[in-house]
């Protein structure tokens, strides 16, 4: 509870610094380079977002605290929209819905929040040409005007997935690895082509298993803070996984988010392990193992 305000302020300051000094890369201003080290601030803000939400809403508190967290959420998502990292902004919003639902259990509030987000998304799509271009190719990637242009990544990824079959072509034998962003956005396509569809399905089921584990452990966790943080963290990982896979396969618009634990990127990897720590902390067996809970 004492750390939530400093963490929230630190997260917002980090996003402000991102807006001030980051350079635009691949359409988004979400990378900072200091002393030869490049990192993505939004990945570290994900950790703060879960921490602040779980700490603020751990108990039924005053409306002032609730509105303060809503304000913090709006500030984070708004900054990401300005950065043009719309995929990460969507991940933040879904995480906010999970935390809000776990706290209130009121589906009507969630519906209102979703309706507001849809309205905001419509405004962004209408007035932001970068996003409009992403939506224009959605479900049209095989058409001649997009096949070798804005739909290039997705068509090559789908061809690669089909070529891999059930068991894959073997490591290094795929063609998807030669497409731009193959180690980040398109890594799932590389896995399908070279390792096979069966392995890819097992990978997806791993994230599902993490989410189920978080739900089960949250029931008996030491406090509501651990429950909210674990479920929000697992929901974030699972939704980001779905956004990545459905984006490159044209089920959803391509957003450019990474595949947790798999895509290249030190910032993303550090964030994923921190989120996994939230999930592990909800398991009471963790403290039995560490000697934190003594049997009478």
């Amino acid at each position: 509870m004492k750390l939530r305000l400093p963490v929230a302020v630190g997260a917002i300051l980090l996003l402000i610094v991102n807006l001030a000094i980051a350079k635009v890369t691949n359409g988004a201003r979400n990378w900072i380079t200091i002393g030869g080290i490049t990192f993505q601030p939004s990945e570290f803000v994900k950790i703060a977002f879960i921490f602040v939400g779980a700490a603020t809403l751990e108990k039924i508190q005053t409306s002032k605290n609730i509105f303060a967290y809503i304000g913090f959420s709006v500030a984070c998502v708004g900054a990401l929209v300005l950065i043009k990292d719309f995929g990460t902004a969507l991940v933040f919003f879904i995480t906010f819905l999970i935390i809000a639902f776990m706290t209130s259990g009121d589906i009507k509030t969630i519906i209102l929040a979703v309706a507001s987000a849809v309205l905001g998304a419509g405004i962004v799509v209408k007035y932001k040409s970068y996003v409009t271009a992403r939506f224009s190719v959605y479900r049209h990637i095989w058409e001649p005007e997009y096949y070798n242009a804005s739909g290039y990544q997705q068509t090559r990824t789908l061809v690669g997935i089909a070529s891999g079959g059930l068991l894959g072509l073997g490591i290094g034998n795929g063609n998807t690895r030669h497409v731009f962003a193959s180690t980040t956005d398109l890594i799932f396509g590389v896995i399908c082509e070279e390792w096979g569809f069966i392995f890819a399905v097992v990978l997806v089921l791993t994230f599902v298993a993490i989410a189920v584990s978080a739900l089960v452990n949250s029931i008996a966790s030491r406090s509501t803070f651990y429950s909210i943080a674990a479920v929000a963290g697992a929901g974030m990982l699972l939704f980001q996984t779905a956004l990545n896979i459905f984006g490159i396969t044209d089920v959803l618009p391509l957003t450019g988010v990474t595949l947790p634990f798999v895509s290249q990127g030190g910032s993303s990897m550090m964030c994923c392990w921190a989120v996994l720590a939230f999930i592990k902390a909800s398991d009471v067996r963790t403290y039995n193992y560490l000697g934190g809970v003594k049997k009478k």
Side-chain angles (χ1 to χ4, degrees), residues 218-230:
S218 67
I219 299 173
S221 60
R222 298 197 302 169
S223 71
T224 309
F225 169 82
Y226 290 98
S227 297
I228 295 175

Side-chain angles (χ1 to χ4, degrees), residues 151-273:
Y152 182 88
Q153 289 177 299
Q154 290 149 298
T155 54
R156 273 41 177 196
T157 299
L158 289 171
V159 169
I161 292 173
S163 302
L166 292 177
L167 301 178
L169 302 177
I171 300 175
N173 295 328
N175 292 316
T176 308
R177 64 169 52 238
H178 302 301
V179 180
F180 175 73
S182 61
T183 59
T184 52
D185 301 355
L186 311 182
I187 191 64
F188 185 75
V190 176
I191 291 172
C192 289
E193 185 177 20
E194 299 186 5
W195 291 74
F197 188 71
I198 294 176
F199 184 88
V201 170
V202 172
L203 175 64
V204 173
L205 292 177
T206 301
F207 289 102
V208 175
I210 290 174
V212 172
S213 174
L215 285 171
V216 172
N217 291 335
S218 67
I219 299 173
S221 60
R222 298 197 302 169
S223 71
T224 309
F225 169 82
Y226 290 98
S227 297
I228 295 175
V231 176
M236 175 182 283
L237 291 178
L238 188 60
F239 179 73
Q240 186 170 326
T241 300
L243 206 57
N244 174 275
I245 295 173
F246 292 154
I248 64 173
T249 53
D250 203 35
V251 176
L252 292 173
L254 183 63
T255 56
V257 298
T258 57
L259 184 62
F261 293 108
V262 183
S263 293
Q264 182 183 20
S267 301
S268 175
M269 187 65 71
M270 292 169 69
C271 168
C272 290
W273 280 107

